[in-house]
Amino acid sequence: MRRSRGLAAALALSLAGSAALVAAGLVPPAAAITPPVSFTADALPTWQPNGVVWALAETGGTVFAGGTFSAVRPPAGGSGSERPAVNFAALDAATGAPTSCRLSFTIGSGTATVRALTLSPDKKTLYAGGYFGAVNGTPVSSIAAIDVATCTVKPSFRPAFAATVRAIAVTGDTVYAGGDFLTVAGQPRQRFAAVDAADGALRPFRADADEPGRAVEVTPDGENVLLGGDFFTLNGTDTHALAVVDATSGILTRAYPGFIETNSVVKDIATDATGFYTANEGTGGGVFDGRIALDLPGFGQRWRDTCLGATQAVLPYRNVLYSASHAHDCSSVGEYPDGQRHHLLAQPTTSVGKLGWAPDTNDGIGEGIGPRVMTVASADGTPYLWVGGEFTAVNGAAQQSLTRFSSTGDTGAPTTPVASAAAFRPGEVQVRWRTSLDLDDSALTYRIYRNGAATPIGTVTADSLFFRRPQASWTDTTAQAGQSYTYRVTATDAAGNVSAPSGTVGVTVPVSADAYPSRVRADGAQLYWRYDDTALPYVADSSDGNQAGVHHNAPALRQSPGAVGGASTAIGFNGTTSHVYGDRRQTVGSTYSIETWFKTGTTQGGKLVGFGNQQTNGSGQYDKHVYMTDDGRLVYGVYTGATRTITTAAAYNDDKWHHVVATQGPGGMTLFVDGAPKGTLAVTAHENYSGYWRVGYDNLNGWPDRPTSDHFAGLIDETAVYPAVLSAAQVQQHHALASAPADSVVQLTAAEDTYANAGAPDGNFGGSGSLAVRGTPLYASYLRFDLPAAPAGTVLKSASLSVKTSTMTGAGTTDTVSVVPVTGAWSQAGTTYNNRPALGAPPLGTFPGIPDGSAVHTAGLDTAPLAGALGGSYGLALTGAGTDALWLWSSEAAANEGTPRLTLTFGAP
């Protein structure tokens, strides 16, 4: 379709244990590219024409390109200079550089073009079709035969086609052609014809069509010819755009009346041993733009891919169908909704589901279609996929009309994961991330690193595609209550290319369960967005459902205070452009509950939360939603062929936090606000379609009391979706728990830190960037923290100390390091070994040995001495009894990662 606009992935999650498994070779190596894809997505340097490439053919390590252009030039940064190439170029398949074969396709008046290139079965003759009158000065008439060995025109082949030839197929003795012509050698042949492969003599084959022919292929058995184009009749029989005819006579073998939409055409046909495949382009609305697979024999449909976006070429290779298009909407086959154009795709020859291969071009010049043609060429045993068209960029880099991809040498690393971490109860940390994108690897391996360690603590394998980037997660069950941890995640593809590590995310493990999120999870939420995210565009799912969200148009992050007590934050929407959408396409069952908190003073209404069939655009199908009217009332509605709604009597746009829950099940619909039911409706049905959960915006056209704005302006927090109906008691409990006091966490960096060294008894090391601990000869480190008073109504529930080892060799220690109170006076600027302060006993906590490697390590501390010092200054010392020194970063060091750090958790007594 020529337009101006451009599922939940199943995650295979497995904890592989420590990296020792990989190092020991116990994990088998993967293929370099995720099977069954055969090519990388890394574009190789290729000489480029200055116009459009319409046709490609290959033999013996040489690729022939035909089109509408006058010169070829080196790729960006390549050697050489532009040289003439009149509508034809021959290039080395392995290097992308021109060969010595040069042909010029010209015409006396008008614009010459080459539209079709096909090799004879013995690969000795190249047949070219298009609109031209001479090749290197030798007269021809829109079709020519080229001797491959000598790169010269065969003068004995002289059929006369009266108009453009757009497609060619060749057997041992016959050349089949399709195009715009009405006569060949003065004889009637409407759009399709056959001539002798040696001398061009006209064959009796008759397959007359009423509109142009664009595709011709011979079946593998040689008995039939597959025809595609614009036509509506063939030999007087109704068969639009596609037909199968006898290879000798042209008599119809299979007609396809009503099979392809009337405003769609067939642009290309390709075959393999099992069937044939069509590339289809439509114009206007209600078109078919995708691909069809048909079986051999029988010529019946195997599958139909109804993605929209003008498919130009199809190429089956090793059980994968590669296609060139500008597919912008694959929602009809359960994939991505209308939006960005994607020009190169791959799918199994057995089904419509897309594979993990998606290099991209732009639309380019001319009609702005992008890629037009593809072929596979081998050189020195290496297959290369060549792509031609009218694009001017490949994978974002300048490259015109020709590009190629190898079957080896995958060099592209996955994108950096966007990570998050949360802890809801003692002993567990949920590390989660938005899966990375790799254009030729859908299966990626993720490694989780804790506290800066060089060895991963966990490994997860997960699938992702460019339109399906689900959340993956891993649970750290070795995390200790009251301690703080940091995590980073990397992604590795099958070739071993590793992404940059994610940003560091930190979390403090609670000493008791966090009441509100723990209850939401326990009640079965399968989507739970808490909006504590620190980086666009990832909205972490705190449920076990891994249903992440995506920020659109940069809503305001980490708005405080949130709806629930504690450190959790909310998200802010501007009422004009921003919203959040789910990354998982799904359907909603007959029972569900929707829950969220909101705070607003808007008088323009807007959608709080709902379900729609689009992600970023306004949906065409939309219901199971809660929205606000201009006067602040809430509406919960579903669509059953008519809008069915419950509306509150009261307004809630009073700039206070409110809790709303909407449920539907066998008992009908119920709307709760602030824990109390506000209305019911005996409706058990809703519209059934595939779509996405959305927050902050979606279409409201046609709904009662439609607000001025479909976008919501205000704060939203704690959005959850359940696959069951929440009871009234559960709703009331959630509302009550949100106002219960929650634990609060305070993290303190050292106000002063230094160490004493027995080897330099008068030396002061304050501000040196390092701290050291050893028993003999003695190093001792001293830390001072300014402690806050306990928040009203709370007590100190836990405390921990975090330190980070330096990068020097041997910075770690095998000895136990004790954390003890400092009882004597000291200062960072004045402390030496000779005047070091006195220490108290017993130890508040210990580090039982710390390994080498620059990483953060945490020890839990006895809270009683610290509780007695709240509101004042408190000193800690790090001491040891052995001879193995520990070296740490001080608070002044650039690499300290916030250490030394004291973490205090306050909560209800």
Side-chain angles (χ1 to χ4, degrees):
M1 180 188 299
R2 297 188 183 104
R3 292 187 173 181
S4 59
R5 295 174 295 156
L7 289 170
L11 295 179
L13 301 179
S14 61
L15 176 59
S18 74
L21 293 175
V22 178
L26 299 180
V27 179
I33 304 166
T34 302
V37 170
S38 294
F39 303 98
T40 79
D42 306 316
L44 298 174
T46 308
W47 279 59
Q48 48 193 322
N50 62 354
V52 178
V53 171
W54 296 99
L56 291 171
E58 64 80 29
T59 183
T62 298
V63 173
F64 304 105
T68 311
F69 50 86
S70 61
V72 293
R73 63 186 186 277
S79 60
S81 58
E82 185 174 278
R83 63 181 66 177
V86 183
N87 302 315
F88 177 87
L91 304 108
D92 187 288
T95 67
T99 70
S100 59
C101 177
R102 299 189 183 187
L103 299 172
S104 295
F105 288 74
T106 58
I107 197 165
S109 61
T111 301
T113 183
V114 175
R115 294 300 181 106
L117 293 171
T118 305
L119 271 298
S120 60
D122 62 8
K123 303 291 186 178
K124 294 181 178 180
T125 303
L126 173 68
Y127 292 91
Y131 181 66
F132 46 84
V135 180
N136 282 3
T138 299
V140 293
S141 183
S142 292
I143 194 167
I146 311 298
D147 181 75
V148 172
T150 62
C151 189
T152 58
V153 178
K154 290 187 172 183
S156 60
F157 182 79
R158 291 288 301 275
F161 282 78
T164 302
V165 173
R166 298 183 180 275
I168 298 174
V170 186
T171 65
D173 59 3
T174 304
V175 175
Y176 298 92
D180 300 348
F181 52 85
L182 299 177
T183 63
V184 178
Q187 299 298 310
R189 293 292 190 275
Q190 296 178 205
R191 279 85 184 203
F192 294 102
V195 298
D196 186 277
D199 60 11
L202 189 63
R203 298 285 198 188
F205 176 92
R206 293 295 298 267
D208 293 339
D210 60 335
E211 295 291 343
R214 297 182 181 273
V216 181
E217 283 291 333
V218 181
T219 56
D221 60 10
E223 295 182 359
N224 292 280
V225 181
L226 312 168
L227 306 178
D230 301 6
F231 52 85
F232 291 88
T233 63
L234 195 94
N235 291 340
T237 300
D238 180 13
T239 179
H240 174 53
L242 182 65
V244 183
V245 299
D246 180 81
T248 301
S249 66
I251 294 173
L252 270 168
T253 302
R254 174 72 183 265
Y256 293 90
F259 185 66
I260 294 173
E261 282 74 357
T262 57
N263 52 353
S264 297
V265 302
V266 170
K267 299 296 291 288
D268 187 30
I269 298 175
T271 63
D272 62 13
T274 66
F276 66 101
Y277 309 87
T278 69
N280 305 273
E281 176 187 83
T283 302
V287 301
F288 173 54
D289 259 353
R291 293 154 290 282
I292 304 174
L294 301 100
D295 289 321
L296 292 173
F299 312 115
Q301 178 174 295
R302 181 188 307 165
W303 51 256
R304 179 179 291 230
D305 184 335
T306 54
C307 289
L308 294 174
T311 306
Q312 303 297 305
V314 285
L315 176 64
Y317 181 75
R318 294 184 178 176
N319 301 316
V320 172
L321 184 68
Y322 299 88
S323 60
S325 69
H326 59 255
H328 57 83
D329 185 355
C330 289
S331 57
S332 61
V333 292
E335 295 173 337
Y336 55 93
D338 196 9
Q340 179 182 345
R341 291 180 168 191
H342 300 277
H343 297 83
L344 294 169
L345 300 173
Q347 61 199 99
T349 54
T350 55
S351 66
V352 301
K354 305 305 179 294
L355 297 170
W357 184 81
D360 205 10
T361 73
N362 64 355
D363 290 341
I365 60 177
E367 292 181 74
I369 294 292
R372 294 277 190 175
V373 63
M374 298 182 293
T375 194
V376 173
S378 292
D380 300 323
T382 300
Y384 297 87
L385 175 63
W386 282 69
V387 179
E390 57 195 7
F391 49 85
T392 58
V394 180
N395 291 342
Q399 175 68 26
Q400 184 168 350
S401 301
L402 272 178
T403 190
R404 60 200 177 96
F405 306 93
S406 177
S407 56
T408 62
D410 179 14
T411 60
T415 59
T416 304
V418 181
S420 172
F424 308 108
R425 59 186 180 185
E428 284 189 7
V429 174
Q430 183 197 51
V431 185
R432 59 277 176 100
W433 58 94
R434 190 183 190 207
T435 47
S436 298
L437 173 62
D438 189 296
L439 295 179
D440 46 34
D441 284 283
S442 53
L444 298 175
T445 299
Y446 297 88
R447 292 181 172 86
I448 303 96
Y449 299 84
R450 187 172 76 179
N451 289 345
T455 300
I457 192 173
T459 302
V460 168
T461 299
D463 289 340
S464 57
L465 297 168
F466 69 88
F467 59 89
R468 184 183 297 155
R469 307 233 342 244
Q471 175 174 293
S473 62
W474 175 81
T475 300
D476 183 358
T477 57
T478 66
Q480 299 298 307
Q483 296 197 26
S484 298
Y485 298 91
T486 61
Y487 299 87
R488 302 186 86 176
V489 181
T490 64
T492 305
D493 68 12
N497 300 303
V498 183
S499 73
S502 70
T504 300
V505 294
V507 66
T508 298
V509 184
V511 296
S512 58
D514 195 347
Y516 185 89
S518 294
R519 177 45 51 193
V520 170
R521 288 164 53 86
D523 284 343
Q526 287 297 295
L527 178 155
Y528 184 20
W529 297 342
R530 303 205 70 199
Y531 307 114
D532 296 333
D533 316 290
T534 59
L536 298 168
Y538 171 51
V539 183
D541 181 10
S542 292
S543 79
D544 293 328
N546 283 319
Q547 295 197 54
V550 180
H551 301 111
H552 183 68
N553 285 332
L557 305 185
R558 297 193 60 80
Q559 301 299 291
S560 186
V564 176
S568 184
T569 58
I571 192 168
F573 297 107
N574 59 16
T576 55
T577 59
S578 60
H579 70 275
V580 167
Y581 61 85
D583 207 20
R584 176 180 295 185
R585 184 178 174 89
Q586 59 189 283
T587 57
V588 179
S590 59
T591 60
Y592 64 89
S593 298
I594 306 168
E595 178 178 38
T596 200
W597 289 77
F598 67 93
K599 178 182 178 182
T600 184
T602 185
T603 57
Q604 293 189 319
K607 184 173 291 192
L608 279 70
V609 59
F611 193 75
N613 68 338
Q614 295 289 329
Q615 290 178 310
T616 59
N617 300 325
S619 295
Q621 292 175 290
Y622 43 97
D623 75 333
K624 298 174 281 294
H625 54 201
V626 177
Y627 62 92
M628 179 174 280
T629 64
D630 285 351
D631 59 6
R633 292 173 295 133
L634 296 177
V635 181
Y636 163 40
V638 299
Y639 186 74
T640 62
T643 58
R644 307 301 302 274
T645 60
I646 302 169
T647 304
T648 66
Y652 296 94
N653 55 345
D654 55 2
D655 270 326
K656 297 179 181 179
W657 279 111
H658 295 285
H659 178 230
V660 58
V661 176
T663 70
Q664 187 178 31
M669 300 165 57
T670 304
L671 176 63
F672 299 86
V673 181
D674 294 336
K678 298 297 179 181
T680 60
L681 195 63
V683 174
T684 59
H686 56 75
E687 190 171 10
N688 185 23
Y689 56 93
S690 295
Y692 309 86
W693 289 107
R694 300 182 52 157
V695 174
Y697 162 70
D698 202 357
N699 198 354
L700 284 169
N701 184 41
W703 284 80
D705 294 319
R706 182 185 184 183
T708 300
S709 174
D710 293 343
H711 285 87
F712 176 75
L715 301 181
I716 288 182
D717 201 3
E718 305 291 332
T719 302
V721 178
Y722 306 78
V725 173
L726 290 179
S727 67
Q730 287 174 308
V731 173
Q732 291 165 7
Q733 184 183 33
H734 290 198
H735 181 253
L737 286 174
S739 59
D743 291 352
S744 60
V745 177
V746 177
Q747 293 187 330
L748 306 171
T749 55
E752 292 186 285
D753 53 15
T754 188
Y755 74 97
N757 180 357
D762 293 321
N764 174 264
F765 300 95
S768 67
S770 295
L771 300 173
V773 183
R774 184 175 59 196
T776 306
L778 185 138
Y779 295 149
S781 290
Y782 308 98
L783 318 170
R784 189 191 310 279
F785 295 94
D786 294 328
L787 305 183
T794 69
V795 296
L796 181 63
K797 298 179 68 175
S798 70
S800 63
L801 177 67
S802 299
V803 295
K804 185 180 182 184
T805 46
S806 73
T807 53
M808 67 184 295
T809 302
T813 182
T814 59
D815 299 332
T816 296
V817 174
S818 296
V819 184
V820 298
V822 177
T823 58
W826 67 281
S827 69
Q828 176 174 307
T831 296
T832 68
Y833 175 80
N834 285 336
N835 68 1
R836 65 190 186 278
L839 305 180
L844 305 183
T846 59
F847 292 94
I850 293 177
D852 282 353
S854 185
V856 176
H857 299 273
T858 302
L861 304 181
D862 181 8
T863 59
L866 288 163
L870 292 174
S873 179
Y874 193 76
L876 296 171
L878 300 176
T879 65
T883 59
D884 186 11
L886 171 69
W887 287 92
L888 306 171
W889 294 121
S890 75
S891 60
E892 290 84 6
N896 64 25
E897 207 166 325
T899 62
R901 179 176 63 246
L902 182 65
T903 301
L904 306 177
T905 301
F906 298 94

